[in-house]
Amino acid sequence: MYLADRTWPQLGEAMDGESLAVIPLGSTEQHGPHLPLATDHLIAESLARAASGRTGHVCTPTVDIGVSAHHKQFHGTLWVDPPAFRSYVESLARNLTYHGIDRIVFVNAHGGNVEPLREVGRRLREDRAAYAIEWMWNDSIPELVEELFEHPGPHGGPKETAMIMHVARELVDEDRLGDARDGGVVDLENTDSRKFGARTFYDAIDNSENGVFGDQTDATPEKGKQLFEAATDRLVALLEWLDDQPFEDLMPEPHVGTDRR
């Protein structure tokens, strides 16, 4: 159920007794010469809407701009700093609790958002306001990603390329897949990104001239459909599991030696 498409009287009926919501989050940042800046938030919204459509849970509008300063050298990249992102997302989550939501899944498609989202989830849980967890699509299906791609790449690689081929193929410049591969880095292990155990890079451009990794020529719409359907199934399973949990079982354990609430 996509919240923004409903009227408030419709939502009053639809949300009666509803306790779970999904918030899709992504970024607006470079994804190489072949993919749109919208890549991450398109993937997040598509998965969130598909899973919420199957389960009937609330899906909010998408948070399109995330923690992306590490892509700032490339044209068009937009970002907010982590404290601003955390504050915004926490405020949004607390809005939902006002309407009776007490468990939230952050459907995330951007690595830079992970740590801030975990911090928001911890604060909400410590306050007993809600149980909120971060879910990353490719982390839910690692075996399939490994099976489909020899070099999936951590950013702008064939896994993301295939997903966008499936959800918005018209936005993929398929004539530039070879350019993306040849102008980027196929295997991150081949970069000089660590010295004596220390990470020596901060921005994507420090490792990849065109900002992407992996072999983009290995992407197809058919592989994108496989990824999308498998990830959606995993998200549906997570939503169904979370919806079944008693709220008290999701809250922090008491101090050792005290009785449970």
Side-chain angles (χ1 to χ4, degrees):
M1 177 176 62
Y2 186 63
L3 182 146
D5 284 347
R6 304 295 185 97
T7 67
W8 71 260
Q10 290 171 337
L11 285 169
E13 297 173 4
M15 292 182 67
D16 184 28
E18 180 61 67
S19 61
L20 191 153
V22 297
I23 302 177
L25 308 99
S27 66
T28 299
E29 65 181 26
Q30 71 84 19
H31 275 78
H34 64 301
L35 289 179
L37 273 67
T39 290
D40 287 345
H41 70 250
L42 284 175
I43 292 173
E45 181 170 333
S46 297
L47 290 167
R49 294 188 69 160
S52 65
R54 284 172 53 180
T55 61
H57 295 304
V58 176
C59 177
T60 74
T62 304
V63 178
D64 291 345
I65 298 173
V67 181
S68 300
H70 49 295
H71 295 288
K72 64 188 177 186
Q73 288 90 350
F74 296 94
H75 301 306
T77 292
L78 304 176
W79 69 93
V80 292
D81 291 332
F85 181 79
R86 287 194 301 266
S87 179
Y88 181 90
V89 173
E90 182 174 348
S91 180
L92 172 57
R94 291 186 187 276
N95 292 172
L96 290 171
T97 68
Y98 177 79
H99 296 292
I101 299 297
D102 63 14
R103 55 205 78 191
I104 297 165
V105 175
F106 297 124
V107 178
N108 179 38
H110 173 54
N113 296 341
V114 172
E115 290 186 15
L117 290 174
R118 290 285 297 171
E119 291 177 22
V120 169
R122 175 176 287 279
R123 283 206 289 266
L124 292 169
R125 185 171 183 251
E126 291 295 333
D127 290 349
R128 298 178 61 81
Y131 181 78
I133 51 176
E134 183 266 346
W135 178 86
M136 188 86 164
W137 73 270
N138 52 289
D139 289 342
S140 75
I141 50 170
E143 297 87 359
L144 180 58
V145 171
E146 184 176 340
E147 174 188 329
L148 292 178
F149 308 110
E150 182 178 0
H151 299 289
H155 180 75
K159 63 185 179 186
E160 290 185 320
T161 303
M163 282 285 272
I164 296 299
M165 284 178 167
H166 175 61
V167 302
R169 188 171 184 177
E170 71 279 5
L171 298 181
V172 181
D173 188 345
E174 297 185 42
D175 291 335
R176 308 259 346 239
L177 299 183
D179 294 341
R181 176 198 61 200
D182 298 339
V185 174
V186 172
D187 189 345
L188 189 58
E189 294 299 318
N190 294 332
T191 64
D192 189 23
S193 60
R194 293 180 181 271
K195 295 288 187 183
F196 312 109
R199 291 175 51 168
T200 56
F201 63 95
Y202 283 95
D203 298 331
I205 202 169
D206 295 337
N207 288 323
S208 172
E209 185 176 339
N210 70 2
V212 293
F213 305 86
D215 183 358
Q216 292 76 9
T217 64
D218 205 14
T220 66
E222 293 74 24
K223 290 181 179 180
K225 182 179 180 182
Q226 282 184 264
L227 294 170
F228 186 86
E229 291 179 349
T232 301
D233 286 344
R234 297 296 287 171
L235 180 54
V236 166
L238 174 62
L239 298 180
E240 291 175 341
W241 169 82
L242 184 55
D243 192 41
D244 285 342
Q245 304 310 302
F247 183 72
E248 285 301 321
D249 289 354
L250 299 170
M251 290 296 97
E253 292 290 330
H255 192 284
V256 173
T258 61
D259 292 334
R260 289 183 62 89
R261 298 181 184 87

